[in-house]
Amino acid sequence: DIQVTQSPSFLSASVGDRVTITCRASQDISSFLAWFQQTPGKAPKLLIYAASTLQSGVPSRFSGSGSGTEFTLTISSLQPEDFATYYCQQLNDYPRTFGQGTKVEIK
Amino acid sequence: QVQLQESGPGLVKPSETLSLTCSVSGDSDSMSGSNWSWIRQTPGRGLEWIGYIFQSGTANYNLSLKGRATISMDTSRKQFSLRLKSVTAADSALYYCAREIHYYDYGGHISYWYFDVWGRGALVTVSS
């Protein structure tokens, strides 16, 4: 199975901050990576697919980059509704696997 | 706009079979061309992909489940289902159904798959 590792696991930030989350895959997955946001009691919400394509309706302050084994999710200016847990997922192969999550908390 | 809704018992006894159904609503032709998937989430193991079924009936499962999972589909009722046999406490989780679709990049001649729609989740506890 392809292992996906996120860092950091926890992140404390303030409204307006620029936030970057990293995801590393255990092997080359090209651009087959997605990012999700999850708030308590809700299902994961797709933010980005194909490593850098913004899902329809997702604010432009979210962006994704990377290919191969290293990827990043950037929130350019953190908003109150962005405090959540973020997951990356590889879609290069089955089984689909997820990172362990990055919880973004209010500083 | 496609929507998914899980349903099924919230409590299952150890060694018995967990059964969940996902109902698909919205687009009239919404079950074609997509992988219909089950994913579960626990605080300890995070998000775990269980498997999918395609409209042809082809299914693919996570080998970590050791052959205990079966996913089936009833397109006439716009539903797909998960059966997980011989459950233990380790199978207690929040179970999501989700749609996996693909986007074809004509420039790069590549299909990108992604999970765009999820149900709200069904909490299943395995306990006697």
Side-chain angles (χ1 to χ4, degrees):
Chain A
D1 297 1
I2 297 174
Q3 306 303 314
V4 180
T5 305
Q6 284 179 240
S7 61
S9 297
F10 296 95
L11 189 160
S12 184
S14 301
V15 172
D17 283 354
R18 181 181 181 89
V19 166
T20 298
I21 298 168
T22 297
C23 182
R24 289 186 174 86
S26 60
Q27 65 186 71
D28 187 341
I29 60 169
S30 184
S31 296
F32 298 110
L33 187 104
W35 290 96
F36 294 89
Q37 177 194 65
Q38 188 177 34
T39 52
K42 297 287 186 64
K45 172 189 172 184
L46 178 68
L47 299 175
I48 287 167
Y49 62 93
S52 61
T53 301
L54 201 65
Q55 171 69 339
S56 176
V58 174
S60 59
R61 61 181 180 273
F62 292 93
S63 64
S65 64
S67 66
T69 60
E70 188 152 337
F71 303 84
T72 58
L73 172 70
T74 300
I75 309 171
S76 60
S77 178
L78 201 64
Q79 298 302 299
E81 59 269 30
D82 300 338
F83 291 95
T85 300
Y86 294 84
Y87 296 93
C88 59
Q89 180 201 24
Q90 68 81 19
L91 299 107
N92 181 73
D93 198 3
Y94 291 98
R96 304 307 199 200
T97 48
F98 295 83
Q100 81 281 11
T102 296
K103 186 172 184 179
V104 178
E105 299 178 322
I106 302 172
K107 183 183 282 185
Chain B
Q1 179 77 2
V2 173
Q3 293 182 313
L4 305 179
Q5 178 67 59
E6 302 90 348
S7 59
L11 181 64
V12 182
K13 290 182 168 55
S15 81
E16 295 190 346
T17 297
L18 177 160
S19 294
L20 292 171
T21 295
C22 184
S23 299
V24 181
S25 61
D27 186 356
S28 60
D29 192 28
S30 54
M31 296 205 80
S32 62
S34 303
N35 291 336
W36 299 94
S37 308
W38 288 95
I39 296 156
R40 65 184 182 181
Q41 185 174 30
T42 61
R45 297 194 307 274
L47 289 159
E48 179 182 26
W49 176 81
I50 296 170
Y52 75 78
I53 189 165
F54 191 65
Q55 64 181 92
S56 64
T58 300
N60 189 0
Y61 302 101
N62 195 325
L63 296 179
S64 68
L65 295 168
K66 297 181 173 56
R68 297 188 297 124
T70 302
I71 300 174
S72 58
M73 171 187 278
D74 184 341
T75 54
S76 64
R77 300 182 69 178
K78 294 183 71 176
Q79 293 179 333
F80 62 105
S81 299
L82 169 69
R83 287 172 57 84
L84 185 65
K85 61 185 181 183
S86 306
V87 296
T88 69
D91 294 309
S92 296
L94 184 57
Y95 284 78
Y96 292 105
C97 57
R99 182 178 76 167
E100 185 180 16
I101 65 172
H102 73 277
Y103 150 73
Y104 188 71
D105 178 355
Y106 287 91
H109 304 288
I110 298 174
S111 276
Y112 290 99
W113 288 86
Y114 55 97
F115 292 80
D116 69 328
V117 180
W118 296 58
R120 298 176 69 175
L123 184 62
V124 179
T125 302
V126 178
S127 175
S128 54

